[in-house]
């Protein structure tokens, strides 16, 4: 069960991480985007919509664009604005060109490939290159040279098509190779000859260039590409390798060209683009160096490589769909090219295609342009806003937003092109037969404005020449006129070549994600599909996965074409750490060498006899174990697992593990490590960052490394001991086990067969035999329970062939009679076991990876890289293979006249087939037979009605352990969590009731505290299940007192929280436990209780309340609405800063630039610190100083520089000045300096902890307080009456003067105000939930158990709404509940009213908070009446650490009559 728990935990943790990251992503997406503000474009969803509609993305965008010509998709840090309005496009690309750039993200992604070329830069670099390129591209020399190249390749293309005439071929592929040859010749002056395949170096360059393109594009969707680049692993290692190929090739070309130019040996040497730029570089050799030239050329290549080929492909597709238009163009060709009365050869005809001819062909030009309107080469493009801006259609964009124009959608807009916008009609571009261009901001296929495509005329010229050549000599038709051609979603608009509807490939039954949907019944789902198609496909991102039940295909893959199907590099990389170079991890010569050796050893009589003796010995033990359980319900699969494990261990190593008795600790430790390593290795299939974790030795990879060390130490010690035994020959049985056999063999070749080699062989044997026999036996006994007559037949066969049926044997004597001869005679038992394996194969699906393009025997093609899987489970249920009774359990199908008749290993595939057929097949049958005979001789088995032994129970480990491919099915995690929970709670302890899983919190995230209140109303203490611990939530004051006071030492922050918080808060009071916490608490308690600090804080609070009143007064005078939460945040920050440091931050007025930077950095660093809780990579990013951690480091430096500057200034003042006035010792920093503490780091930690404690809590409470007063005007009036009665405020018009009258005594007398603030905190506590980590197993006062590592959470928000605590009016805002009959405030237990924590960690700033809240309330309510700007609005919280009002609180303030 340990292995299952590890697997379940791994999957659950992986899924939880994904869910948490996804939830955080959604929060980030929907925050601060002005979603309902009509001045911004309407929101049509998030960028995740694009993933959902990815396969038909441009049609989806078109559909939305018909509704809104400008709309938004929300992204985490910005909005992505999409537009089809030509005015907006002109604004971005021309009118306001300088305010829209590539953006840093795009530049960072493409720089490795494109360097500082024209597509990768902005500003002066772009202008300089554009100017130079514009001149060069307009020269007559280059134009003439390119035309000659296009004509030459048109000639070759016509020749290639002649060779394919009358056959089906892929015209897009031909256009790709042809245009590639052209671009290469024009760019470098080099013949690539893709159509002929004669230039190997050039082909290698282009292969590297294409792969680099794809890998660079992949960075846009790879969140960890920077990490992979740093470590040069995965896709980034491949990119680096490809870029080296590109650089070597280009640099050699540049070198060769320089030499040719110097020698002037070639009259054409100056015609290609590289030569043109080399000549230009002589004017400025320092600026235009080889690196600069490389970047320019590669940018030209990327611009022209696919665009013309894609457009031509769509063009010929449209001509096939519109034969009349094809004929019109052919007629125009006849009219204008050459003399129509002369029959030209290909070469002569093409030579007649000159500039004058091209200019006359308006209909061809119109047809190509019409193609580009409907199928633009780049279907979407855009820029990044560098400033806040307003588009011509009135919609605003924010700095950092992307603004995209959708070329594909624009070509289909009826308001731009008329009601026939979606029709292919070249005539729309012609007036009296002459082509009439449209605005480049309406027809945007070539960009527009200052960045309009320099290669536009090149593209038209090439497309026209190729089209003329082809349409003069050929007419084209679609191979399948009923087939609808679709695009492939990528940067350029390729025709989709996935072969989805190509009948030469297996039929497509969906995508690999279909397996997630049907995961719980996956093999039945595959069986259902296989009854329809014996071979079918599921589409995966980079390949197809081919599934087959055709024995011919299986024989082809496993035998006939064995060398062309391998494990695949991915599988080998994943398993090598555990399995080394063992037989299951390798291919080729390594596999052949091991297979040869193993085949010999496994066939020896010595090993066969030894294994049988082991199987009999353990059968004896198994019968004893079952005897002890006779008449009771038990898990037979668990018994089989332990029994077969003992056998494998003894046969493999010659060591007694005794799992059935549990007596070998070292062996048990080894097996535990082996099982965990298995699970962790399988886990790599679904862990996209396992290589990084392995590099850093963290997380699951650290655990794997640790377990592999246990395995290696154990195996190496065994090998050492065995070597010694063999040398001394002390054990007569020393040469019987597999390890001993291989050790003897190793003496022949000690260099090759070293200890590492032996270790790999043994572990591969272990992994092959550990669970397989046990699972099959479990299914076998299940089938016997379902078919008692078959059980009885086998029992009778046992009586007939084992021992003398007239003798009553003891268990041991009977088992000794199970000889090889007896086993060979038991055909019915063999048939029944084989029938079990037919229906329930141990490995229900298996397969290989195609190393080449291939054709299977059933005629279907597979591509290189495709997976080819045979479905053993489905094959056993195919009527065409096994007859109409295929799904029945009928051993008789295997017998002829009572003799077992085997089937083809490619039809009955339970043991693999071909050259890799299972070496342990006979071992497995021998063990299963011996155990079955022993059990069925002494017992009869029935299936428990309680479910033990049910197929689902048996299936659990088989499904999960057998097929690593399916580990990607994370959607099963909820079921797995439940299973894990049941396993975890076998101990007889009382645990809190389970109210769900932590995933329920994610589902209810926006209303999280409401959800938890609902649960608390049902259970005062409950649990939410997590993969790695329980989370216990309580609203019972007795429990709260226990964790915060009674057993305080057992519930703390823990190292997990400390590591996350320490970069910002250091060793401050909020990050530490134990002695560090006690030391700080003691000093802080004293300093916070001094009258000096108390009086100082009152003055500061009064001063800032007066500043805030001035701002409100201005708003009231102009009848403006204000966000009181935002102002409160700034005011409390100013107060806390001055109290802590004695420094004016003045965020309300914004007069301190340095203070403003600190404030921003502090907020950002706080958010980034919180983000670490859901960022599994934060330690790696910190180590590498990248991403959010690089930003965190930068922000922390700003904070530290600012704080240390203040501290050092304060220290100098305190040391040098003789002035001992109070102002130098009233703030907290000065108070600490006055004492014994003068370590700047210590002081920084203390002060920042004070700021983070008081920054938001008071502001949010004051905001909720104002909200409740607006909702309850009678309470607002009562507060005003009290303050006016006690503060003597009637005649003081000046805000500051009134604030100075508010002494501590005055504030303390305001009982009703105190009650109203406390009632606010009861309903809207500043920190709605808080929790601690349990340090050791414990039991709460309500009797529920808590485990070490569990999170125990008390819920101030929920507790404030519990009727059992506050009465039936708990949900009502009623300050009177806190007052006695004399109007005096009556506090409640801090374990019932937990807004300020309680016990030893009770908030030191509690009195500070009340004092500030009261002063702010008194000053503001004395002068102003508050009303909500929207009286009907119900305020909601934003789910975060502190209880902010979501979206702020907009209020109107009215002047009160102070008289």
């Amino acid at each position: 069960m340990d292995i299952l728990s590890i697997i379940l935990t791994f999957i659950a943790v992986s899924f939880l991480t994904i869910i948490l990251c996804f939830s955080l992503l959604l929060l980030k997406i929907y925050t601060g985007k002005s979603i309902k503000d009509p001045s911004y474009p309407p929101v049509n969803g998030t960028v995740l919509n694009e993933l959902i509609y990815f396969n038909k993305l441009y049609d989806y965008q078109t559909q939305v664009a018909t509704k809104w010509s400008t709309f938004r998709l929300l992204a985490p840090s910005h909005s992505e604005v999409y537009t089809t309005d030509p005015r907006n496009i002109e604004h971005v690309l021309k009118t306001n060109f300088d305010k829209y750039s590539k953006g840093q993200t795009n530049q960072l992604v493409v720089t490795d490939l494109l360097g500082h070329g024209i597509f990768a830069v902005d500003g002066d670099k772009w202008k300089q290159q554009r100017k130079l390129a514009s001149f060069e591209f307009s020269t007559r020399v280059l134009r003439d040279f390119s035309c000659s190249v296009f004509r030459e390749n048109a000639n070759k293309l016509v020749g290639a098509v002649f060779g394919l005439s009358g056959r089906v071929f892929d015209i897009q592929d031909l256009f790709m190779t042809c245009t590639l040859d052209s671009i290469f010749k024009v760019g470098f002056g080099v013949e690539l000859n893709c159509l002929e395949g004669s230039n190997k170096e050039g082909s290698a360059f282009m292969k590297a260039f294409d792969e680099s393109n794809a890998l660079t594009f992949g960075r846009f969707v790879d969140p960890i590409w920077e990490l992979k680049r740093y470590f040069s692993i995965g896709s980034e290692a491949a990119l680096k390798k490809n870029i080296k190929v590109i650089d070597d090739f280009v640099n050699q070309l540049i070198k060769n060209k320089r030499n040719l130019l110097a020698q002037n040996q070639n009259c054409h040497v100056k015609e290609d683009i590289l030569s043109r730029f080399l000549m230009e570089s002589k004017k400025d050799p320092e600026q235009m160096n080889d690196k600069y030239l490389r970047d320019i050329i590669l940018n030209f290549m990327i611009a022209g490589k696919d665009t013309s080929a894609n457009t031509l492909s769509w063009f010929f597709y449209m001509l096939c769909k519109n034969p009349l238009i094809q004929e019109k163009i052919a007629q125009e060709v006849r009219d204008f090219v050459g003399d129509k009365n002369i029959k030209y050869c290909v070469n002569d005809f093409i030579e007649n295609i000159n500039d004058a001819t091209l200019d006359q062909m308006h209909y061809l030009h119109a047809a190509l342009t019409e193609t580009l309107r409907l199928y633009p080469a780049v279907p979407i493009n855009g820029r990044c806003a560098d400033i806040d801006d307003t588009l011509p259609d009135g919609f605003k964009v924010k700095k950092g937003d992307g603004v995209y124009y959708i070329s594909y959608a624009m070509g289909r807009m009826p308001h731009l092109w008329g009601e026939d916008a979606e029709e292919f009609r070249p005539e729309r571009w012609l007036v009296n037969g002459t082509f009439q261009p449209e605005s480049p901001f309406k027809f945007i296929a070539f960009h527009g404005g200052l960045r309009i495509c320099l290669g536009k005329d090149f593209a038209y010229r090439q497309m026209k020449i190729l089209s003329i050549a082809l349409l003069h000599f050929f007419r084209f038709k679609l191979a399948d006129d009923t087939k609808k051609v679709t695009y492939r979603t990528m940067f350029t608009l390729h025709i989709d070549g996935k072969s989805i509807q190509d009948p030469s490939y297996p039929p497509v039954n969906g995508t690999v994600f279909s397996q997630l949907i049907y995961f719980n019944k996956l093999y039945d789902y595959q069986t259902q599909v296989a009854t329809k198609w014996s071979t079918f496909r599921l589409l995966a991102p980079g390949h197809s996965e081919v599934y087959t039940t055709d024995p011919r295909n299986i024989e082809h893959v496993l035998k006939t074409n064995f060398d062309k199907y391998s494990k695949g590099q991915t599988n080998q990389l994943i398993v090598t750490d555990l399995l080394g170079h063992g037989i299951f991890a390798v291919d080729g010569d390594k596999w052949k060498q091991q297979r040869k050796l193993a085949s010999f050893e496994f066939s020896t009589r010595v090993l066969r006899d030894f294994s049988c003796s082991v199987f009999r010995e353990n059968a004896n033990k198994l019968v004893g174990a079952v005897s002890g359980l006779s008449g009771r319900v038990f898990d037979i699969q668990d018994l089989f697992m332990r029994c077969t494990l003992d056998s494998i261990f003894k046969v493999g190593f010659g060591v007694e593990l005794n799992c059935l008795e549990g007596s070998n600790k070292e062996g048990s430790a080894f097996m535990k490590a082996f099982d965990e390593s298995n699970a962790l290795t399988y886990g790599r299939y679904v862990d996209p960052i396992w290589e990084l974790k392995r590099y850093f030795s963290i997380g699951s990879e650290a655990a794997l490394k640790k377990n592999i060390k246990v395995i290696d130490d154990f195996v190496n010690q065994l090998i050492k001991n065995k070597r010694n035994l063999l040398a001394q020959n002390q054990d007569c049985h020393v040469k019987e086990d597999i390890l001993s056999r291989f050790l003897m063999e190793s003496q022949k070749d000690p260099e090759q067969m070293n200890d590492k080699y032996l270790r790999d062989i043994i572990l591969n044997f272990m992994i092959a035999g550990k669970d397989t026999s046990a699972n099959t036996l479990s299914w076998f006994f299940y089938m016997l329970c379902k078919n008692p007559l078959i059980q009885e037949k086998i029992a009778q066969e046992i009586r007939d062939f084992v021992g003398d049926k007239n003798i009553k044997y003891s268990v041991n004597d009977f088992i000794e009679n199970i000889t090889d001869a007896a086993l060979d005679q038991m055909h019915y038992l063999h048939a029944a076991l084989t029938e079990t394996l037919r229906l329930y194969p141990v490995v229900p699906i298996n397969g290989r990876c195609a190393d080449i393009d291939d054709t299977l025997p059933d005629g279907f093609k597979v591509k290189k890289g495709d997976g080819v899987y045979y479905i053993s489970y489905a094959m056993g249920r195919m009527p065409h293979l096994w007859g109409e009774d295929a799904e029945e359990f009928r051993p008789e199908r295997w017998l002829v006249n009572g003799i077992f008749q085997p089937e083809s290993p490619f039809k009955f595939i339970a043991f693999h087939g071909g050259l890799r057929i299972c070496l342990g097949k006979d071992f497995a049958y021998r063990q299963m037979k011996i155990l079955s005979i022993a059990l069925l001789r002494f017992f009869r088995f029935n299936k428990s009605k309680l479910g033990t032994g049910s197929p689902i129970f048996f299936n659990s480990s088989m499904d999960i352990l057998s097929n690593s491919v399916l580990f990607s099915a994370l959607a099963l995690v909820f079921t797995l969590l439940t299973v894990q929970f049941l396993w975890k709670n076998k101990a007889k302890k009382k645990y809190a009731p389970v109210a769900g899983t932590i995933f329920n919190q994610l589902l209810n995230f926006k209303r999280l505290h409401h959800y938890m209140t609902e649960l608390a109303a049902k259970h005062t203490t409950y649990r939410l299940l997590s993969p790695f611990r329980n989370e216990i939530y309580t609203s019972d004051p007795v429990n709260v007192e226990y964790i915060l006071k009674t057993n305080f030492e057992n519930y703390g922050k823990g190292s997990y929280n400390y590591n996350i918080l320490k970069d910002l808060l250091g060793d401050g009071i909020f990050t530490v436990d134990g002695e560090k916490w006690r030391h700080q608490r003691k000093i802080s308690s004293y300093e916070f209780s001094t009258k000096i600090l108390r009086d100082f804080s009152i003055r500061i609070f009064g001063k800032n309340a007066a500043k805030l009143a001035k701002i409100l007064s201005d708003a009231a005078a102009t009848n403006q609405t204000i966000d009181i939460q935002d102002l409160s945040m700034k005011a409390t920050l100013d107060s806390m800063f001055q109290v802590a440091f004695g420094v004016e931050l003045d965020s309300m007025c914004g007069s301190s630039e340095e203070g403003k930077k600190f404030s921003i950095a502090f907020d950002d660093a706080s958010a980034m610190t919180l983000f670490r809780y859901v960022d599994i990579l934060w330690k790696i990013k910190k180590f590498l100083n990248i991403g959010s951690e690089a930003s965190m480091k930068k922000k922390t430096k700003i904070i530290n520089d600012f704080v240390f500057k203040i501290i050092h200034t304060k220290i100098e003042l305190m040391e040098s000045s003789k002035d001992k006035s109070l102002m130098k010792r009233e703030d907290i920093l000065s108070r600490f300096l006055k004492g014994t503490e003068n370590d700047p780091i210590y002081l920084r930690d203390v002060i920042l902890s004070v700021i983070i404690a008081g920054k938001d809590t008071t502001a949010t409470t004051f905001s909720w307080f104002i909200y409740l007063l607006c909702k309850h005007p009678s309470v607002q009036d009562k507060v005003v009456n009290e303050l006016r009665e006690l503060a003597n405020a009637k005649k003081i018009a000046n805000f500051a003067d009134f604030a100075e009258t508010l002494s501590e005594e005055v504030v303390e007398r305001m009982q009703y105000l105190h009650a109203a603030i406390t009632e606010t905190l009861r309903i809207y506590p500043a920190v709605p939930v808080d929790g601690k980590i349990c340090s050791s197993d414990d039991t709460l006062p309500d009797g529920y158990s808590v485990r070490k590592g569990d999170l125990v959470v008390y819920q101030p928000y929920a507790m404030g709404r519990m009727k059992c605590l506050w009465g039936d009016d708990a949900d009502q805002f009623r300050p009177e509940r806190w007052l006695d009959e004399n109007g005096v405030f009556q506090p409640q237990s801090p374990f019932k009213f937990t807004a300020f924590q309680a016990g030893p960690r009770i908030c030191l700033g509690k009195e500070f908070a009340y004092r500030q809240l009261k002063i702010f309330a008194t000053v503001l309510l004395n002068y102003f009446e508050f009303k909500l700007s929207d009286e009907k609005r119900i305020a909601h919280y934003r789910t975060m650490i502190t209880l902010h009002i979501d979206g702020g609180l907009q209020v109107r303030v009215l002047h009160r009559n102070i008289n």
Side-chain angles (χ1 to χ4, degrees), residues 503-615:
S504 63
Y505 289 88
V508 174
N509 193 63
T511 71
V512 288
F513 302 110
S514 309
Q515 298 188 115
L516 298 179
I517 299 167
Y518 296 100
F519 187 79
N520 284 335
K521 52 176 183 176
L522 180 63
Y523 307 128
D524 292 313
Y525 162 68
Q526 290 172 338
T527 302
Q528 185 181 340
V529 179
T531 57
K532 183 179 178 184
W533 296 306
S534 59
T535 304
F536 63 93
R537 278 189 298 167
L538 296 179
L539 303 180
H543 63 286
S544 292
E545 294 193 352
V546 178
Y547 295 82
T548 188
T549 56
D550 189 327
R552 297 172 302 163
N553 292 343
I554 298 168
E555 184 172 8
H556 178 82
V557 171
L558 297 183
K559 182 183 176 185
T560 313
N561 216 14
F562 173 79
D563 289 334
K564 302 299 184 265
Y565 291 85
S566 66
K567 287 278 180 186
Q569 289 185 347
T570 301
N571 290 318
Q572 289 178 336
L573 186 64
I574 284 174
V575 302
T576 297
D577 285 337
L578 176 59
L579 300 183
H581 296 290
I583 200 165
F584 292 122
V586 293
D587 286 307
D589 291 337
K590 286 187 177 180
W591 174 81
K592 289 173 185 172
Q593 193 268 342
Q594 285 191 53
R595 179 78 182 190
K596 182 179 178 182
L597 179 62
S599 297
F600 170 75
E601 292 297 335
F602 273 68
S603 64
T604 61
R605 183 76 193 176
V606 172
L607 193 58
R608 190 160 66 251
D609 291 347
F610 176 59
S611 64
C612 279
S613 69
V614 171
F615 299 153

Side-chain angles (χ1 to χ4, degrees), residues 159 406 585 1350 1373 1395 1408:
I406 324 170
D1350 281 353
F1373 178 68
F1408 267 56

Side-chain angles (χ1 to χ4, degrees), residues 840-856:
Y840 299 105
V842 176
V843 181
I845 183 171
N846 209 335
R848 311 287 284 157
C849 177
D851 293 333
I852 58 165
D853 291 351
D854 195 15
T855 301
L856 300 175

Side-chain angles (χ1 to χ4, degrees), residues 1219-1325:
D1219 184 2
K1220 301 298 181 182
S1221 65
L1222 290 176
M1223 282 303 293
K1224 288 201 177 79
R1225 359 186 252 277
E1226 287 176 328
D1227 59 90
I1228 295 173
L1229 175 57
S1230 297
R1231 296 293 301 163
F1232 271 86
L1233 286 170
K1234 185 81 168 70
T1236 58
E1237 300 295 344
N1238 59 7
D1239 176 7
I1241 295 175
Y1242 175 87
L1243 292 168
R1244 172 238 185 242
D1245 296 347
V1246 170
I1247 301 303
L1248 286 184
S1249 292
V1250 171
I1251 294 219
I1252 207 164
K1255 195 178 80 67
D1256 291 349
T1257 50
T1258 309
T1260 54
T1261 301
F1262 187 72
S1263 304
W1264 286 111
F1265 173 66
I1266 294 296
Y1267 169 71
L1268 288 169
L1269 294 190
C1270 292
K1271 286 292 189 181
H1272 300 84
S1274 61
V1275 175
Q1276 186 170 173
D1277 290 342
K1278 286 182 182 180
V1279 172
V1280 172
N1281 291 337
E1282 181 185 61
L1283 71 86
R1284 288 197 166 177
E1285 181 182 337
L1286 297 175
N1288 192 27
K1290 292 179 181 177
K1291 296 182 181 179
I1292 305 175
N1294 184 276
F1295 305 137
D1297 292 343
F1298 173 65
E1300 286 183 7
T1301 68
L1302 299 178
S1303 63
E1304 186 176 4
E1305 293 74 23
V1306 171
V1307 171
E1308 288 297 325
R1309 287 163 57 198
M1310 296 182 181
Q1311 302 289 304
Y1312 193 82
L1313 174 58
H1314 193 92
I1317 291 170
T1318 305
E1319 180 73 344
T1320 301
L1321 282 162
R1322 178 183 72 83
I1323 298 175
Y1324 297 109

